[in-house]
């Protein structure tokens, strides 16, 4: 009996050491039911949510800012609404408006993959309270970007204009009032805080990055300071790709080619990762604009795992990268979530080629053409499960 008890105890201890499987759960929305309704997470309704972002906690030195830790911001595309999910699961709408009439205010998230979003990190805004941290959204249908505050008002900063782009499709670089986009989608921001400002009045390495999908390019927007020390994203330029020239070539700057890039994520090392949806690949751009393909085979859709350049994807969309350089990707038409790690591309959730809805163990869970993805502060993945009209969480195996 003592031997049996000892063996049983050892087996129990060993079972505790086995890593728990990754799991998928629903955060908000009624899977398979499209609509528009605010309220508790189990009652709220979405209609084809696409892109999302998560508010980060505010360090003590930015105590006057809104405490946004755990709030999830969602582009509810067909409803043409910006929604917010509180940590307790309650869903509300942020009404986008302006106190001063602006003739070309016309938010339009556009077609199936439109409406990128990024919430400013702490120390990025101007002033305190609701105006301290803004939300950048891509009005893909009007070829513009907009900055709104936490109450939905357009967030002008001194003499800076909060609607970026002329509203006419084009590829011009310049300032916020002269630059042009063509169906901008994914937006990312360099992951730095306010204390990284240089004394010259230019924010060191602060930038917004935009997947300018219709132009087949990646744009970079640099920051300057106003006279009252408000940070303003003002210098628009093309970082990589050539406007109107789709392709798959690696190279530097205008020598590189993209094919309808969609998702974009900025890494802590200064590089940028892009889901090149039309090429079914993942690309990496270094600070000098050098583009390399890091996963997938250009022009070949597929679903196999393995060495990254021999593995395949099918129209990748959402993307994010963690502090260790691991890249997570929504593989939209494979209905799966993939991870790029140590040169390998693997499936971490969903059933390849099988659309549907199922929570539970990640390998048996089901998604339906998901689009957006963001890594939460706890390391889990928040996914806009577009075809299921729901927001899901992937709790990874550790």
């Amino acid at each position: 009996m003592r031997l049996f008890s000892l063996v049983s105890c050892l087996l129990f201890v060993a079972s505790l050491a086995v890593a728990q499987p990754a799991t998928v759960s629903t955060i908000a929305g009624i899977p398979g039911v499209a609509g528009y309704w605010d309220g508790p997470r189990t009652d709220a309704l979405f209609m084809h949510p696409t892109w999302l972002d998560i508010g980060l906690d505010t360090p003590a030195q930015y105590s006057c800012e809104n405490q946004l830790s755990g709030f999830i911001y969602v582009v509810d595309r067909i409803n043409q609404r910006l929604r917010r999910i509180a940590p307790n699961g309650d869903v509300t709408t942020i009404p986008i408006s302006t106190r001063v009439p602006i003739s070309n205010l016309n938010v339009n998230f556009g077609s199936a993959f439109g409406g990128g979003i990024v919430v400013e990190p702490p120390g990025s805004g101007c002033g305190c309270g609701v105006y301290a941290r803004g939300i950048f959204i891509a009005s893909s249908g009007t070829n513009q970007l907009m900055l709104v505050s936490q109450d939905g008002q357009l967030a002008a900063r001194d003499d800076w204009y909060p609607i970026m782009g002329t509203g006419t499709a084009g590829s011009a670089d310049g300032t916020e009032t002269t630059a042009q986009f063509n169906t901008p989608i994914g937006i990312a921001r360099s992951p730095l805080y306010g204390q990284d400002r240089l004394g010259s009045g230019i924010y060191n390495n602060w930038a917004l990055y935009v997947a300018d999908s219709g132009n087949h390019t990646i744009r970079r927007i640099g920051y300057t300071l106003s006279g009252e020390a408000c940070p303003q994203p003002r210098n628009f330029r093309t970082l990589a790709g050539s406007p109107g020239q789709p392709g798959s070539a690696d190279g530097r700057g205008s020598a590189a080619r993209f094919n309808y890039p969609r998702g974009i994520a900025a890494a802590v090392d200064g590089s940028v990762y892009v889901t090149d949806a039309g090429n079914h690949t993942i690309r990496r751009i270094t600070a000098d604009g050098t583009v390399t393909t890091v996963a997938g085979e250009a022009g070949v859709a597929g679903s196999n795992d393995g060495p990254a350049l021999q593995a395949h994807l099918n129209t990748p969309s959402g993307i994010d990268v963690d502090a260790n350089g691991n890249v997570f990707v929504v593989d939209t038409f494979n209905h799966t979530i993939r991870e790029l790690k140590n040169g390998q591309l693997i499936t971490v959730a969903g059933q390849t080629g099988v659309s549907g809805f199922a929570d539970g163990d990640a390998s048996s869970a089901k998604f339906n053409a998901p689009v957006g993805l963001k890594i939460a502060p706890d390391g889990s993945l928040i996914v806009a499960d577009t075809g299921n009209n729901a927001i899901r969480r992937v709790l990874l195996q550790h």
Side-chain angles (χ1 to χ4, degrees):
M1 289 294 292
R2 288 182 179 178
L3 179 60
F4 177 78
S5 298
L6 178 60
V7 172
S8 298
C9 182
L10 290 174
L11 288 174
F12 175 72
V13 172
S15 69
L16 294 179
V18 175
Q20 298 299 307
T23 57
V24 178
S25 59
T26 299
I27 294 175
I30 302 176
V33 180
Y36 172 65
W37 189 262
D38 285 340
R41 66 181 190 84
T42 54
D43 297 333
L45 295 176
F46 298 86
M47 191 175 292
H48 285 205
T50 49
W51 302 92
L52 50 78
D53 199 7
I54 303 171
L56 300 177
D57 198 8
T58 301
Q61 64 264 42
Y62 305 119
S63 58
C64 75
E65 295 185 356
N66 291 70
Q67 304 298 314
L68 305 181
S69 181
F71 282 84
I72 301 170
Y73 297 77
V74 181
V75 170
D76 194 5
R77 187 185 64 82
I78 292 184
N79 281 322
Q80 293 293 317
R81 296 288 191 273
L82 179 59
R83 315 286 292 278
R84 179 167 54 197
I85 307 172
N88 67 359
D90 287 348
V91 178
T92 56
T93 297
I94 300 175
I96 300 173
S97 60
T98 177
R99 292 189 178 93
V100 179
I102 295 178
S103 60
N104 63 343
L105 177 63
N106 180 24
V107 180
N108 184 339
F109 293 130
S111 60
F113 293 90
I117 182 172
V118 64
V119 180
E120 289 186 310
S124 302
C126 189
C128 287
V130 71
Y131 302 106
R133 293 167 66 182
I135 307 163
F136 287 95
I137 55 174
S139 180
S140 306
T142 65
N143 306 300
Q144 295 170 308
L145 307 180
M146 299 179 184
L147 177 64
V148 300
S149 60
Q150 294 294 323
D151 62 359
Q153 300 292 327
L154 286 176
R157 290 176 178 165
D158 295 343
D159 60 339
W160 177 79
Y161 199 56
I163 300 177
M164 293 151 277
T166 65
T168 300
S171 59
D173 289 337
T175 67
E176 71 275 15
T177 58
T178 62
Q180 292 178 316
F181 299 95
N182 188 350
T183 319
I185 297 181
I187 314 173
R189 188 191 177 285
S190 51
L192 297 174
Y193 293 114
Q195 64 266 32
D196 297 292
R197 179 172 59 83
L198 291 178
S200 62
I202 299 175
Y203 273 67
N204 183 28
N205 295 324
W206 278 37
L208 290 176
Y209 298 93
V210 182
D212 198 4
S213 190
N215 278 324
H216 312 290
T217 58
I218 305 302
R219 313 289 289 277
R220 185 183 189 277
I221 309 171
Y223 280 72
T224 62
L225 279 178
S226 72
E228 296 183 2
C230 286
Q232 302 173 333
R234 201 147 216 172
N235 302 314
F236 293 63
R237 69 180 180 89
T238 301
L239 176 64
S242 183
Q245 298 186 36
S248 61
D250 287 339
R252 183 175 178 180
S254 60
R257 295 291 184 270
F258 297 87
N259 190 0
Y260 294 105
R262 287 190 181 138
I264 190 164
V268 294
D269 65 359
S271 63
V272 177
Y273 287 86
V274 177
T275 51
D276 197 3
N279 280 322
H280 310 292
T281 56
I282 302 171
R283 319 289 291 279
R284 181 177 183 266
I285 311 174
T286 56
D288 67 353
T290 299
V291 180
T292 55
T293 301
V294 295
E297 182 181 357
V300 181
S303 61
N304 62 294
D305 289 341
L309 294 176
Q310 299 171 29
H312 294 86
L313 303 105
N314 190 349
T315 319
S317 298
I319 188 168
D320 203 3
V321 54
D322 68 18
N324 296 317
N326 302 314
V327 181
F328 295 90
V329 180
V330 169
D331 198 0
T332 297
F333 291 135
N334 277 323
H335 312 289
T336 55
I337 311 301
R338 316 284 293 275
E339 180 182 9
L340 174 62
K341 181 177 182 179
N342 298 327
Q344 299 287 314
L345 186 65
I346 61 172
T347 301
V348 297
Q351 300 182 44
T352 300
V354 180
S355 64
F357 173 82
D359 281 338
D361 181 86
S363 62
S364 59
K366 293 180 183 178
F367 298 87
N368 187 358
V371 172
L373 176 148
K374 191 69 178 179
I375 301 172
D378 66 359
S380 63
L381 309 179
I382 310 301
V383 177
D385 193 2
T386 307
N388 278 321
N389 303 300
I391 308 302
R392 317 280 295 279
R393 182 190 302 275
V394 181
L395 185 61
L396 298 171
Q397 176 178 320
H398 295 289

